[in-house]
Amino acid sequence: MKTISRLILATAITANLLAGCDAKPTAAPSAVEPEHTHKAASAEAIASPVETFGKPVIYQVLPRLFGNTNATNKFWGTMEENGVGKFSDFTPEALQQIRALGADYIWYTGSLHHAVVRDYTAFGISNDDPDVVKGRAGSPYAVKDYYTVNPDLANDPGKRLEEFKALVERSHAAGLKVIIDIVPNHVARNYQSLAKPEGVRDFGADDDTSVAYARDNNFYYVPGEPFLVPVAEDGYQPLNGEAHPLVDGEFAETPAKWTGNGSRAPQPKQDDWYETVKINFGVRPDGSHDFPALPAGYAQKDYRAHAAFWADKDVPSSWEKFRQITDYWLAFGIDGFRYDMAGMVPVEFWSYLNSSIKMQKPDALLLAEIYQPDLYRNYVHLGKMDYLYDKVGTYDAIRAVMEGKAATDPLVEIQESLSGIEDNMLRFMENHDEQRIASPEFAGNAEAGKPAMVVSAALSGAPTLVYFGQELGEPGAGDAGFGKASRTTIFDYWSVPTIRRWNNEGNFNSEKLSDAEQSLQGFYRTLLTFSRQSPALTGEFFDLHQVNRTQGENYSDKLYSFARWAGNERLLVIANFGDRDSTTTLRLPKALIEAWQLAPGKYTLTNQLQQGTAKMVVRDDLSAAVSLDTPRLSGQILRLSH
């Protein structure tokens, strides 16, 4: 049956390829089938009811926290004490305001059903053991059931999937596409899907647990050894020592499975990802691969060719299970996926999965969390990722400038190193893994994020990510329990003070925001809206920093500048990360003036983020200069007026 299905798929995809690049891709099946047959080329592609244009803006939000207006925020507080946000808190008003901020994608982090410390047995859900759950509310990245959503987030846990479907539809009605997480590297230790479609088998259900590795095992094992809960460090106790019938320092798992971060010990350490188990993608314990390799030249081929290659290939069981999962959510109406720790999963799997997704939904947004620059090009060209995290390059370099630990000079080399994939690198200054800009542990001042965001948003055609509350200067204060100050917790029942004030009893207005919060929100709204609509920010790039470090007047290592253009739109971007106002004369090389096709003369540049203009003089030799005031902690986008 499996071989016949693959041959049918191969024939259908080949027909699609022969029909040319304009042939419409395949649709997702209405239900996931046991042998994962695709009704390839037999139906229209899955279409999103929302169209997006230009440079994407993604708004990341934790539903657990977003709508929670309970201000108690007790250390290790329960849901009853601290409250919890619901899917229903994303009202049309809330979504319209997120859209007005400039977002065209919303990433609902923590929506999938992950391990939680609550009793939902009345709904047929097994209890999770706090000994292998991080925090009281649980980690969003310890997924327990891939085919449904977190019962905490529903008004009626028995109808949680229907409530999430309604949220997706409201989001689309507001003009927002929807992204959710897929966590392929690991699942919760207590993975058990109650909602899986007919014919789908749970991870591990058919594993041979007598061996450490088999290609079609979904997990790795330590044969003959039981799992042991980590030895607590620094006085840590599950639920902060609160009595609970399952808290006994034990979790029944025999034989032990490898832990999510790759630990092979039957007793992982406290700082291992002990709440999760690692998925086997056909990588043997010695690191060799037990699956077909992509032929030479496939980095230059499109997703259709990749889909055709995999159509008749025998692949590991885990590959097929994740393809079933993404098929399910595409048919549900999801518009894209953020892949957790994608660099820990082989690139061939991504070729297989992402080409399948693109065959069904060509405009699906596929975003990979990855921290290995040497893998970037493979994951874009071979793995068919749309976007990758630019964390260890641009984010880290900008952060070092913001903290006064480095100059802006390294940004030049970083951007040169990304040549050819610069538009594939997601830019951000906050997300759930990073410290809040306004926290004392980072910049200690939300205003310091302004030049950083101007650079991040204008540097390339890649998406800009904003983490909820960032636009209000949220400092992430307070230890929540498992989650500590400076990062808004993802593990606890908690609420976010700036978001509560913006919420204002569901009105989502500025009445309770401080003047500083209103001003900052206005800055983000202007910047993100401009970046989403500007043709130049998806066009050409020209570095101005290097020449001005040697030839510019009063151009310090706290400034950073570049030019962008496309069509008739020409922009100069300059950011001042310093804590002092300055005036500089920005030099524009002849090569840029020629590219802009400007004649000698005087030109006006208009600031796109606030009121103000600047004058540019182009000399007879086609060199040019712009005299600029550069206020402290500011960024400017100057458009050449015609």
Side-chain angles (χ1 to χ4, degrees):
M1 173 65 177
K2 187 177 290 188
T3 302
I4 293 173
S5 299
R6 291 193 185 103
L7 289 173
I8 292 171
L9 178 57
T11 302
I13 293 177
T14 301
N16 197 10
L17 285 165
L18 292 173
C21 292
D22 293 331
K24 292 185 176 179
T26 61
S30 58
V32 180
E33 300 177 7
E35 296 294 343
H36 200 84
T37 59
H38 260 229
K39 299 169 179 64
S42 63
E44 298 295 317
I46 299 173
S48 171
V50 178
E51 288 189 80
T52 55
F53 304 94
K55 180 182 171 75
V57 175
I58 302 170
Y59 191 81
Q60 182 191 4
V61 61
L62 269 78
R64 182 199 296 155
L65 305 182
F66 180 82
N68 186 13
T69 57
N70 184 328
T72 303
N73 279 359
K74 177 183 174 182
F75 183 67
W76 278 102
T78 65
M79 182 191 292
E80 289 74 19
E81 293 169 325
N82 284 354
V84 68
K86 302 290 185 180
F87 292 135
S88 59
D89 293 321
F90 290 90
T91 61
E93 292 77 14
L95 294 166
Q96 288 163 10
Q97 288 303 311
I98 292 170
R99 175 65 171 158
L101 187 67
D104 42 22
Y105 286 86
I106 186 164
W107 167 15
Y108 289 117
T109 305
S111 294
L112 293 175
H113 185 181
H114 59 78
V116 298
V117 185
R118 286 191 65 77
D119 188 342
Y120 287 111
T121 53
F123 302 94
I125 301 169
S126 62
N127 283 325
D128 293 304
D129 188 335
D131 287 307
V132 289
V133 175
K134 289 183 175 177
R136 187 181 292 277
S139 168
Y141 296 98
V143 176
K144 179 177 179 175
D145 186 344
Y146 259 114
Y147 291 97
T148 188
V149 290
N150 184 356
D152 279 355
L153 305 180
N155 295 312
D156 179 353
K159 296 181 178 178
R160 58 194 182 278
L161 204 57
E162 293 93 328
E163 292 186 29
F164 186 60
K165 180 69 171 179
L167 172 58
V168 172
E169 292 172 351
R170 287 197 304 278
S171 302
H172 287 161
L176 294 164
K177 290 190 174 184
V178 175
I179 298 171
I180 63 169
D181 287 281
I182 298 292
V183 190
N185 182 63
H186 49 270
V187 295
R189 285 206 176 267
N190 193 30
Y191 187 91
Q192 182 184 30
S193 176
L194 298 177
K196 59 185 179 292
E198 183 179 355
V200 171
R201 300 283 291 167
D202 268 349
F203 286 104
D206 303 307
D207 282 8
D208 176 0
T209 63
S210 69
V211 295
Y213 167 85
R215 193 202 71 157
D216 288 316
N217 276 358
N218 299 136
F219 303 127
Y220 299 92
Y221 296 91
V222 187
E225 298 282 345
F227 170 79
L228 300 175
V229 172
V231 175
E233 298 177 1
D234 300 323
Y236 173 77
Q237 299 180 75
L239 306 182
N240 201 37
E242 176 185 313
H244 187 283
L246 294 178
V247 176
D248 55 6
E250 297 181 0
F251 177 76
E253 179 184 291
T254 303
K257 302 180 181 76
W258 289 14
T259 294
N261 62 327
S263 171
R264 305 182 184 190
Q267 184 174 35
K269 296 180 180 179
Q270 185 74 29
D271 60 356
D272 286 326
W273 304 346
Y274 62 84
E275 79 281 19
T276 66
V277 290
K278 187 169 180 63
I279 296 289
N280 166 27
F281 283 92
V283 179
R284 301 183 185 93
D286 65 4
S288 61
H289 292 172
D290 203 357
F291 48 77
L294 285 166
Y298 265 68
Q300 288 74 48
K301 294 183 182 293
D302 69 8
Y303 67 81
R304 294 177 179 86
H306 282 245
F309 172 78
W310 292 111
D312 62 351
K313 300 298 186 294
D314 184 30
V315 298
S317 166
S318 296
W319 292 30
E320 295 187 336
K321 283 185 166 60
F322 273 103
R323 185 165 157 178
Q324 290 171 338
I325 289 164
T326 54
D327 281 358
Y328 173 87
W329 287 110
L330 289 173
F332 191 88
I334 298 303
D335 302 293
F337 304 106
R338 180 268 189 186
Y339 296 129
D340 184 77
M341 296 307 293
M344 297 181 74
V345 178
V347 72
E348 290 85 355
F349 164 75
W350 294 118
S351 164
Y352 167 87
L353 184 70
N354 289 341
S355 62
S356 167
I357 291 170
K358 291 292 189 178
M359 289 296 291
Q360 299 169 64
K361 193 179 183 71
D363 65 348
L365 187 148
L366 307 177
L367 168 62
E369 179 190 21
I370 182 169
Y371 302 120
Q372 301 107 304
D374 61 314
L375 298 181
Y376 286 172
R377 284 171 174 79
N378 275 349
Y379 276 70
V380 170
H381 299 308
L382 290 175
K384 298 304 166 191
M385 294 294 183
D386 293 319
Y387 306 110
L388 314 177
Y389 270 37
D390 188 3
K391 194 274 182 191
V392 300
T394 303
Y395 170 87
D396 282 351
I398 292 177
R399 174 167 180 154
V401 177
M402 295 168 69
E403 294 180 303
K405 297 177 179 178
T408 53
D409 299 335
L411 283 166
V412 176
E413 184 177 348
I414 289 169
Q415 301 321 305
E416 290 174 350
S417 75
L418 298 173
S419 177
I421 58 168
E422 61 272 17
D423 288 348
N424 301 103
M425 303 306 296
L426 174 82
R427 298 289 163 38
F428 58 87
M429 288 312 303
E430 286 190 4
N431 62 42
H432 67 279
D433 286 320
E434 308 302 338
Q435 293 173 311
R436 293 284 194 173
I437 293 169
S439 70
E441 293 82 359
F442 186 173
N445 177 9
E447 295 293 307
K450 287 184 173 180
M453 283 303 299
V454 169
V455 172
S456 292
L459 202 53
S460 75
T464 304
L465 173 72
V466 175
Y467 190 40
F468 78 121
Q470 176 183 348
E471 74 278 16
L472 300 171
E474 172 58 40
D479 288 352
F482 196 91
K484 303 304 178 186
S486 80
R487 292 177 179 85
T488 297
T489 179
I490 66 170
F491 304 103
D492 307 275
Y493 296 112
W494 201 249
S495 65
V496 182
T498 54
I499 295 292
R500 291 200 312 264
R501 292 195 288 275
W502 179 43
N503 184 311
N504 189 22
E505 299 179 356
N507 291 305
F508 290 92
N509 57 28
S510 60
E511 287 183 4
K512 293 185 178 180
L513 297 178
S514 68
D515 290 345
E517 289 166 345
Q518 291 182 50
S519 175
L520 189 67
Q521 187 183 50
F523 162 80
Y524 273 86
R525 184 183 299 113
T526 301
L527 172 64
L528 297 174
T529 299
F530 177 81
S531 75
R532 181 165 56 87
Q533 298 173 347
S534 168
L537 295 187
T538 58
E540 301 297 323
F541 173 91
F542 192 101
D543 174 67
L544 295 173
H545 183 77
Q546 281 184 298
V547 67
N548 280 281
R549 287 288 279 137
T550 57
Q551 300 178 27
E553 295 179 18
N554 198 31
Y555 188 96
S556 75
D557 64 1
K558 299 301 181 186
L559 298 177
Y560 183 63
S561 59
F562 52 90
R564 303 297 312 276
W565 71 97
N568 293 323
E569 186 177 57
R570 299 169 176 85
L571 305 175
L572 294 180
V573 181
I574 186 166
N576 181 4
F577 290 88
D579 58 5
R580 295 181 181 179
D581 298 344
S582 67
T583 299
T584 186
T585 299
L586 193 67
R587 303 295 180 184
L588 310 182
K590 179 181 178 179
L592 176 63
I593 301 305
E594 288 179 333
W596 282 9
Q597 300 179 331
L598 299 181
K602 295 181 179 180
Y603 297 84
T604 299
L605 299 163
T606 305
N607 196 324
Q608 301 302 294
L609 303 183
Q610 58 197 40
Q611 291 185 341
T613 60
K615 298 298 181 182
M616 179 174 71
V617 177
V618 179
R619 302 182 183 91
D620 290 340
D621 64 358
L622 296 186
S623 64
V626 183
S627 294
L628 290 170
D629 292 327
T630 54
R632 64 185 295 273
L633 301 180
S634 71
Q636 301 177 56
I637 300 178
L638 303 167
R639 175 189 275 162
L640 181 67
S641 300
H642 295 285

